[in-house]
């Protein structure tokens, strides 16, 4: 579904070029849930923006459904760290924003909007304005807005990181359910090991500065997964420990030369 | 209704209606008290009673003059808002135009408008036109500056959203930037309202024909200070009413703005 082929990104910084991402190769299957994990500033968001077509790779190329990504696509939806809702639009109208911008007929998508509202428990709040909702509900709205596009691919950039711990877990479990139901291919950037282990088929661990693919870790735990007590505590502990050591040892990596 | 709800309603009435009226009443009382206590000659500072007296002598005349001034203010203000918005949108759309036009606009704004009044007389003669132009000259700049500030303050996350949806420039402008700018536009409108009234009065005082400014100019010639005060009170009242009208429209159009700025 998605191939990331030798992708690098170098920004022009004030004191010379800054290498954000170096030579990443990844291929993501249809319906797969891939989590990208790494420390702050490791270039995870940069990588996601390149897949989204918001940023052109300095080297290499990204393909979605076999087509070279040059600009944002309608079948690829983004969910940002902030809900990015229009404060003057009701929940429902915020969700329908992509439909308007794409010039689609609203009538064709109302039923889908209803279903998404139902799925995320927002039906009773459809007429409310964003500021009347909690942070978790706002992020649900932004999830619905991405899903109204009927995307083949969803790109999620630390979507739950601004929320409190419990809401975060709740939304992660909900996202898992949505993914199981819709089978959308998802790339999910996070720095939470817990989230990565709950959600991912595979976890791509990035090293810091420049972001390189350190390891791809399979999460072989059957779904639905849950936080807290479950039948797979041992596997969860094992994978989490592995991810922990990968991320923490990052600082001890030999310094690679800059360009 | 519970006691608590009744209580909070009472306190809302208190803060929104009673307190402002009380403030005005106290100010008038203070004014009156000073004129009485210090035996001030009404020729210098008339007491509130003298002012009311003066108004009651020719109420219809003063109401008509007020209406003349209000019309000039409203027409001039409408022109200022429309041109201000169009100019601001143009400047926000093109950096080249903005860089070229901004110094010129700032220079025009910095010219003391009173100094232009004799020129307007030469160009346009007597009547409404020079007064309306004066209103426009005084009130257009805050509209431009605040609208531009609003248009350029679109949050990064909303811009990124528009980009990721591949929204056209026009779509982004209409659906995101313009509405986002509205609260700031209203800041400019509220600054511009009193300036519009000042503009009309400058025009009328320098080049008197009709309107409250002309009344003030005439009262100076006939040593009728209470009449000048009556005209000033009417101008102040007009200013307050216009300001609250703009604030009312703001509440209707951008009810969300208070909530997100809190």
């Amino acid at each position: 579904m998605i191939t990331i082929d030798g992708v690098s990104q170098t920004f022009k910084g004030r004191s010379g070029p800054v290498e954000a991402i170096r030579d990443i190769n990844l291929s993501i299957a249809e319906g797969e849930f891939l989590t990208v994990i790494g420390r702050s500033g490791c270039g995870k968001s940069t990588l996601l923006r390149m897949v989204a077509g918001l940023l052109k790779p300095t080297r290499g190329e990204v393909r979605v459904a076999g087509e070279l990504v040059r600009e944002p696509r309608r079948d690829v939806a983004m969910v940002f760290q902030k809900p990015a809702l229009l404060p003057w639009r009701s929940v429902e109208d915020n969700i329908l924003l992509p439909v308007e911008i794409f010039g689609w007929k609203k009538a064709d998508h109302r039923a889908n909007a209803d279903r998404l509202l139902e799925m995320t428990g927002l039906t009773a709040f459809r007429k409310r304005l964003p500021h009347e909702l909690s942070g978790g509900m706002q992020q649900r709205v932004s999830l619905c807005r991405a899903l109204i596009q009927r995307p083949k691919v969803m790109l999620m950039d630390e979507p739950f990181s601004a929320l409190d711990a419990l809401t975060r877990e709740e939304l992660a479990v909900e996202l898992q359910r949505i993914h199981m139901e819709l089978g959308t291919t998802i790339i999910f950037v996070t720095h939470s090991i817990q989230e990565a282990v709950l959600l991912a088929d595979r976890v791509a661990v990035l090293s810091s500065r420049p972001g390189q693919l350190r390891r791809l870790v399979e999460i072989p735990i059957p779904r639905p997964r849950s936080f807290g007590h479950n039948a797979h505590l041992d596997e969860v502990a094992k994978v989490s420990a592995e991810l922990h050591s990968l991320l923490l040892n990052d600082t001890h990596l030999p310094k690679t030369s800059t360009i | 209704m519970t006691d608590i709800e009744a209580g909070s309603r009472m306190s809302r009435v208190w803060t929104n209606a009673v307190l402002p009226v009380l403030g005005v009443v106290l100010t008038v009382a203070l004014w009156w008290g000073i004129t009485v206590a210090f035996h001030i000659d009404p020729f210098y500072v008339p007491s509130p009673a003298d002012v009311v007296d003066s108004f009651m002598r020719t109420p219809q005349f003063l109401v008509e003059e007020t209406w003349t001034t209000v019309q000039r203010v409203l027409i001039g203000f409408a022109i200022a808002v429309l041109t201000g918005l169009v100019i601001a949108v143009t400047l926000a759309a093109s950096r080249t135009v903005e860089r070229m036009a901004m110094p010129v606009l700032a220079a025009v704004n910095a010219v003391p408008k009173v100094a232009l009044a004799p020129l307007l007389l030469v160009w346009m003669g007597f009547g409404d036109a020079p007064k309306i132009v004066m209103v426009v000259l005084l009130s257009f700049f805050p509209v431009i500056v605040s609208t531009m500030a609003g248009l350029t303050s679109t949050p990064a996350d909303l811009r990124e959203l528009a980009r990721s949806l591949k929204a056209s420039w026009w779509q982004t402008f209409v659906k995101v930037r313009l509405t986002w700018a509205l609260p700031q536009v209203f800041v400019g409108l509220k600054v511009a309202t009193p300036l519009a009234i000042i503009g009309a009065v400058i025009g009328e005082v320098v080049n008197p024909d009709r309107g409250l400014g002309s009344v003030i100019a005439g009262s100076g010639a006939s040593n009728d200070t209470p009449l000048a005060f009556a005209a000033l009170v009417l101008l102040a009242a007009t200013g307050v009413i216009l300001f609250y009208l703009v604030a009312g429209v703001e509440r209707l159009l951008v009810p969300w703005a208070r909530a997100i700025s809190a």
Side-chain angles (χ1 to χ4, degrees), chain A residues 1-257:
Chain A
M1 192 65 190
I2 305 171
T3 48
I4 299 171
D5 188 9
V7 162
S8 302
Q9 182 68 48
T10 306
F11 294 112
K12 286 193 192 82
R14 203 170 292 175
S15 49
V18 179
E19 197 179 8
I21 288 285
R22 179 184 292 177
D23 193 29
I24 291 197
N25 293 286
L26 257 175
S27 101
I28 297 123
E30 191 167 347
E32 181 176 352
F33 200 124
L34 179 90
T35 330
V36 179
I37 196 168
R39 307 176 139 229
S40 316
C42 73
K44 338 184 259 300
S45 295
T46 305
L47 181 66
L48 204 67
R49 285 164 54 83
M50 288 191 283
V51 179
L54 290 169
L55 185 69
K56 194 177 174 296
T58 316
R59 273 193 307 277
E61 56 181 44
V62 178
R63 284 174 187 277
V64 169
E67 290 165 38
L68 190 62
V69 173
R70 295 170 199 277
E71 55 182 6
R73 301 162 55 103
R74 288 183 177 180
D75 55 0
V76 176
M78 277 209 88
V79 179
F80 302 96
Q81 185 174 353
K82 288 193 189 164
L85 303 174
L86 299 179
W88 52 88
R89 281 182 175 236
S90 67
V91 165
E92 194 171 23
D93 290 341
N94 262 296
I95 294 175
L96 288 168
L97 180 74
V99 174
E100 275 174 40
I101 289 189
F102 295 163
W104 292 346
K105 270 199 210 129
K106 266 197 202 173
D108 300 345
H109 296 269
R110 283 216 189 272
N112 192 19
D114 288 346
R115 196 177 57 104
L116 293 171
L117 284 166
E118 185 70 48
M119 207 156 110
T120 47
L122 287 169
T123 307
F125 300 92
R126 61 195 307 160
K127 298 290 180 204
R128 298 287 186 89
L129 290 177
H131 69 82
E132 298 173 296
L133 308 181
S134 67
M137 284 160 86
Q138 291 184 8
Q139 202 52 281
R140 285 191 176 94
V141 177
S142 104
L143 187 62
C144 289
R145 181 183 57 200
L147 289 169
I148 197 88
Q149 292 177 236
R150 296 182 188 279
K152 291 191 195 123
V153 175
M154 270 221 291
L155 305 174
M156 309 183 76
D157 190 1
E158 301 190 35
F160 306 147
S161 64
L163 305 172
D164 67 85
L166 279 175
T167 310
R168 237 184 131 129
E169 292 184 3
E170 208 175 276
L171 276 175
V173 171
E174 217 166 296
L175 178 63
Q176 168 180 242
R177 189 165 53 78
I178 289 168
H179 175 240
M180 287 170 69
E181 196 175 323
L182 302 178
T184 317
T185 311
I186 298 179
I187 302 184
F188 185 100
V189 166
T190 183
H191 49 234
S192 154
I193 290 173
Q194 243 200 332
E195 251 168 36
V197 174
L198 182 91
L199 290 167
D201 295 309
R202 286 187 301 165
V203 181
V205 183
L206 293 196
S207 63
S208 299
R209 291 171 204 282
Q212 285 171 288
L213 185 56
R214 182 121 202 254
R215 183 93 50 93
L216 264 174
V217 181
E218 301 253 359
I219 312 282
I221 305 167
R223 289 199 166 94
R225 305 172 190 163
S226 64
F227 291 112
H229 270 293
N230 59 60
H232 306 281
L233 282 181
D234 286 348
E235 289 104 309
V236 170
K238 200 169 140 267
V239 183
S240 300
E242 187 184 353
L243 290 173
H244 251 124
S245 53
L246 277 169
L247 286 166
L248 289 176
N249 289 338
D250 191 16
T251 41
H252 305 302
L253 274 179
K255 279 262 182 264
T256 40
S257 61

Side-chain angles (χ1 to χ4, degrees), chain B residues 152-172:
Chain B
T152 49
S153 71
T154 318
D157 50 335
L158 293 186
R159 274 185 279 140
E160 184 96 329
L161 169 72
R163 272 195 68 204
S164 77
L165 292 173
K166 245 171 84 185
S168 67
W169 183 89
W170 181 246
Q171 283 177 324
T172 311

